[in-house]
Amino acid sequence: MNQQTTEWSEGVPRMVALAERFAAEGQMNLNKLLEAAVYAQTRRAAWRYRPEVTAESMQAELETSLQFLKREGVTTELVAALDKGYQGLVEGRSTDLSLNDAPDAFVCRTCGHVAMNAAPDRCPDCGSWTGRFRKFVAFFNGDNIEPINPVEVIRLFARNAEDLERLVDGLPEEQLIQNPAKNEWSIRDHVAHFYDAQEMLDTRLELMLKHDDPELAAVAIYDYATEEVGRPENTADMLAEFLDLRAQSITRLGALPLVDLWRSGRHSEFGRITILRQVAYLAYHEQTHLAEIEGLRRRFA
């Protein structure tokens, strides 16, 4: 392996890891740019192979790819589905695989584990929560984009609150306020972040329902998590207030006419966002914090 290949194979995965760190810190525009850079580098690297990968060479190329994926220990179910496609080429079939043979794939954004048919509740490799899985569907030239399912988003939003309550349950205040290391959040800080994000959502929801395309102020809620202002002093009381706010929010979202979920507002960092996109963002983002809280609780255990 030459130096250029080594630098690429190390540099691109490291950029992905950095992009994930930016996402975990709430810096989603830096995450977006790095994800775009990684995609661009991958496509540019593939560009030079395009003349070689022809209709006549597909069978041999897929066989080589399968051998590579097996060596890398990629999920057996994914390899088996690809192998069915390979066998079809060997037999001279030109039709695509059926959905039964090639179900949708779900890839863990944390460690790359692949699940078929549905995302598991927890990643069997790294323990990430279901909201950390990216779904891959058959969608021509759309980068697997599909409409967000409002029912699934609201259901996840509700379940996150239940999981937060479960993870905090039984821990004394002295453990809840304990910082694992310098500049790292305590469990109380994470709970405060849930609380602040919910208040932010309620404010934006009110604006977007009452006004057409209102201006949405950018709020640095990450900076507020460690500040002891405007919330109950006791973590249990703060959690109780958050759970009440979340329950009211879920009831309100569930009662909205479907079309209202696409009402929008303008955000200085994210551009035009809809109510549904805002709720989905929070629901999936919260799963990152739930995993961190779970890790802290495990230390205390």
Side-chain angles (χ1 to χ4, degrees), residues 191-237:
V191 174
H193 186 58
F194 273 74
Y195 185 101
D196 295 339
Q198 182 61 56
E199 285 198 324
M200 178 192 72
L201 173 68
D202 291 340
T203 299
R204 289 181 177 174
L205 182 62
E206 192 71 20
L207 279 171
M208 286 190 276
L209 287 174
K210 286 187 175 181
H211 305 280
D212 292 331
D213 213 28
E215 190 80 28
L216 303 176
V219 183
I221 56 175
Y222 267 82
D223 298 337
Y224 299 156
T226 55
E227 296 179 4
E228 300 301 327
V229 179
R231 305 186 211 94
E233 291 185 9
N234 183 273
T235 304
D237 293 337

Side-chain angles (χ1 to χ4, degrees), residues 3-288:
Q3 182 179 355
Q4 185 177 7
T5 302
T6 301
E7 288 177 352
W8 193 93
S9 63
E10 292 180 356
V12 169
R14 198 167 186 87
M15 278 198 291
V16 175
L18 177 59
E20 284 297 297
R21 172 46 55 190
F22 277 125
E25 299 297 327
Q27 300 191 49
M28 296 308 300
N29 278 329
L30 281 170
N31 165 271
K32 172 186 70 179
L33 295 176
L34 276 173
E35 292 274 11
V38 167
Y39 181 74
Q41 287 298 100
T42 303
R43 302 304 299 188
R44 287 185 68 84
W47 178 254
R48 65 190 180 97
Y49 293 111
R50 287 176 67 94
E52 302 172 27
V53 181
T54 64
E56 291 74 22
S57 69
M58 287 194 304
Q59 180 179 322
E61 292 284 353
L62 183 53
E63 182 180 18
T64 301
S65 298
L66 279 166
Q67 291 171 355
F68 170 77
L69 293 172
K70 289 174 181 177
R71 287 197 304 270
E72 290 295 309
V74 173
T75 307
T76 305
E77 291 80 3
L78 175 61
V79 172
L82 285 168
D83 192 54
K84 287 182 180 179
Y86 172 71
Q87 294 303 322
L89 293 176
V90 171
E91 295 167 9
R93 294 198 303 269
S94 59
T95 54
D96 198 359
L97 291 173
S98 69
L99 185 61
N100 285 335
D101 290 333
D104 293 338
F106 295 77
V107 180
C108 176
R109 293 185 65 91
T110 301
C111 73
H113 174 82
V114 184
M116 307 301 289
N117 284 302
D121 288 335
R122 305 299 293 273
C123 176
D125 289 348
C126 71
S128 285
W129 297 47
T130 188
R132 292 289 296 159
F133 279 77
R134 177 185 173 187
K135 184 178 182 180
F136 284 77
V137 300
F139 196 108
F140 186 78
N141 203 35
D143 290 326
N144 299 287
I145 295 171
E146 64 173 349
I148 299 174
N149 185 328
V151 175
E152 290 182 359
V153 169
I154 296 172
R155 184 181 296 134
L156 182 62
F157 206 46
R159 198 168 71 210
N160 285 349
E162 296 169 1
D163 286 328
L164 178 64
E165 182 178 24
R166 174 179 56 81
L167 289 170
V168 174
D169 182 55
L171 294 177
E173 188 71 13
E174 56 266 26
Q175 289 183 338
L176 294 171
I177 63 174
Q178 183 178 327
N179 296 93
K182 185 179 179 181
N183 297 325
E184 290 188 15
W185 283 3
S186 65
I187 291 179
R188 176 184 167 82
D189 294 333
H190 285 284
V191 174
H193 186 58
F194 273 74
Y195 185 101
D196 295 339
Q198 182 61 56
E199 285 198 324
M200 178 192 72
L201 173 68
D202 291 340
T203 299
R204 289 181 177 174
L205 182 62
E206 192 71 20
L207 279 171
M208 286 190 276
L209 287 174
K210 286 187 175 181
H211 305 280
D212 292 331
D213 213 28
E215 190 80 28
L216 303 176
V219 183
I221 56 175
Y222 267 82
D223 298 337
Y224 299 156
T226 55
E227 296 179 4
E228 300 301 327
V229 179
R231 305 186 211 94
E233 291 185 9
N234 183 273
T235 304
D237 293 337
M238 178 166 58
L239 176 63
E241 281 195 20
F242 161 75
L243 292 173
D244 184 55
L245 290 172
R246 175 59 56 91
Q248 293 178 45
S249 181
I250 290 166
T251 299
R252 186 177 193 184
L253 289 167
L256 286 177
L258 190 61
V259 68
D260 281 354
L261 291 173
W262 274 268
R263 289 185 64 86
S264 64
R266 289 172 288 108
H267 190 279
S268 61
E269 294 176 4
F270 304 131
R272 182 167 277 103
I273 57 175
T274 63
I275 289 174
L276 181 57
R277 181 183 168 194
Q278 177 69 88
V279 177
Y281 172 91
L282 288 180
Y284 291 120
H285 175 70
E286 285 175 347
Q287 297 239 307
T288 302

